[in-house]
Each structure stands twice: as C-alpha cells, then as structure tokens.
Amino acid sequence: MRAIRVASAALLGVSALAVTAPAAQAQGDNSGFWATVRPTTVAPGEHVRLRATGCEQSVTVSSGVFDTVTIPRWRTTAWARVDRDARRGAVYEVSFYCGTFWQSVDLTIAGGRPDRPDRPEQPEHGVRAGEGGTLAGLNLKEIGLGAALITAALGTAYHLSRRRTEEDGS
C-alpha cells in the first residue's frame, strides 16, 4: 500500500513539472531573430538599410524617425528614408517585430550633441558575461509559481493517501 502512495505522489510531482515546463521554455528565447540598422549614424534625409534574419514571417520595422516598413518573409533587408526634420544629435529607437519577438536598435542622427550620452557608439567596457548556464533568464516569480504548484500537487497526493489509509483502517 505504501508503494502505491509513493508512486502516486511521484506521478503528481512529475505531472506538475510537465505542466510548468512549456511556459518556462517559451519565456526568453528569441529563436535566432536578429536585427541591424546600417549605418548606425546618418544625416537627416538619408537612407538606412534595415536587416532582419531568423524570422519565418514578415518583419515590421518602426521608428519615430521614418515611416513603418515591412520586410517580406522571403527577404532579409529593406530601405527606409530618415525624415528630413529629424533632430540632429538625437538617438532614435528602431524596433523590429517578428510575431511575438522583437528587438530594438539605436539610430543616431549626425550632427550636434547626442541626447543620450549614456549610450555611446563604442562601449567603454567589455562584454558583460557570466550569466550563462542555469542562471540566464532567472525569474523568481516563475520559480516561486512552479514551486507552489509542485508543493500543492505533493500536498494533495499526501492528503488523499492519508485519507484513504484512515478510511481503510476504520
């Protein structure tokens, strides 16, 4: 009888893990989707080349400095003309949307002082590494929810097994 209770508790625990695993897997993967803007510094009225790779559908590109552009799914590049009234020295965000994934790239307008000196063209330090392995994308909210689900499943299994044992003994 004890083996059945242990097997039931183990099965409920594995079921709880199986239910929570897909949500954890889908959270942070960009599935190889990459986006670039060339050149990264441009004068008002000039063209920029928008490039997106790793997307199996059309990519929508938007920014406050040019009209929205769509890169068809069978192509990887498109061109956009920067507005002639773009503020010199400003840094604009260019957003690439591939379904539920997105990336943003900065586009600097030539001339004047940069509006955001905290985002230099060339970084002053090396790569921030060391987040690989099991710590990459650590989300305490999801870990807590998963632990609560597993605890609830094990508690329910224990409660049901104790109740049946008491019923059998009466």
Side-chain angles (χ1 to χ4, degrees):
M1 207 51 164
R2 179 165 166 74
I4 293 175
R5 283 186 265 153
V6 171
S8 297
L11 183 61
L12 279 173
V14 169
S15 298
L17 284 175
V19 169
T20 59
Q25 181 67 24
Q27 186 260 336
D29 185 20
N30 274 358
S31 70
F33 175 57
W34 292 101
T36 58
V37 175
R38 292 288 183 253
T40 57
T41 301
V42 65
E46 291 186 358
H47 285 88
V48 290
R49 187 173 127 208
L50 310 169
R51 180 174 170 85
T53 58
C55 185
E56 295 181 6
Q57 56 189 329
S58 295
V59 176
T60 304
V61 185
S62 64
S63 178
V65 75
F66 57 78
D67 294 332
T68 300
V69 175
T70 301
I71 302 173
R73 70 181 179 115
W74 61 87
R75 297 191 52 204
T76 58
T77 60
W79 291 88
R81 178 184 290 263
V82 175
D83 295 337
R84 292 191 184 279
D85 60 350
R87 217 172 58 222
R88 293 187 177 275
V91 178
Y92 290 90
E93 183 177 273
V94 180
S95 299
F96 293 77
Y97 299 94
C98 171
T100 59
F101 302 115
W102 66 275
Q103 284 195 358
S104 64
V105 179
D106 286 339
L107 176 63
T108 304
I109 307 302
R113 257 183 52 210
D115 286 346
R116 298 192 300 190
D118 61 326
R119 296 181 104 169
E121 189 67 32
Q122 296 294 325
E124 297 176 9
H125 52 78
V127 176
R128 291 184 185 138
E131 291 185 14
T134 58
L135 294 179
L138 181 65
N139 187 337
L140 293 178
K141 187 177 179 182
E142 290 177 354
I143 291 172
L145 180 61
L149 286 172
I150 291 170
T151 304
L154 291 174
T156 301
Y158 178 76
H159 175 72
L160 291 175
S161 68
R162 295 292 294 165
R163 196 172 85 191
R164 288 193 180 160
T165 304
E166 291 172 1
E167 288 175 0
D168 292 341
S170 313

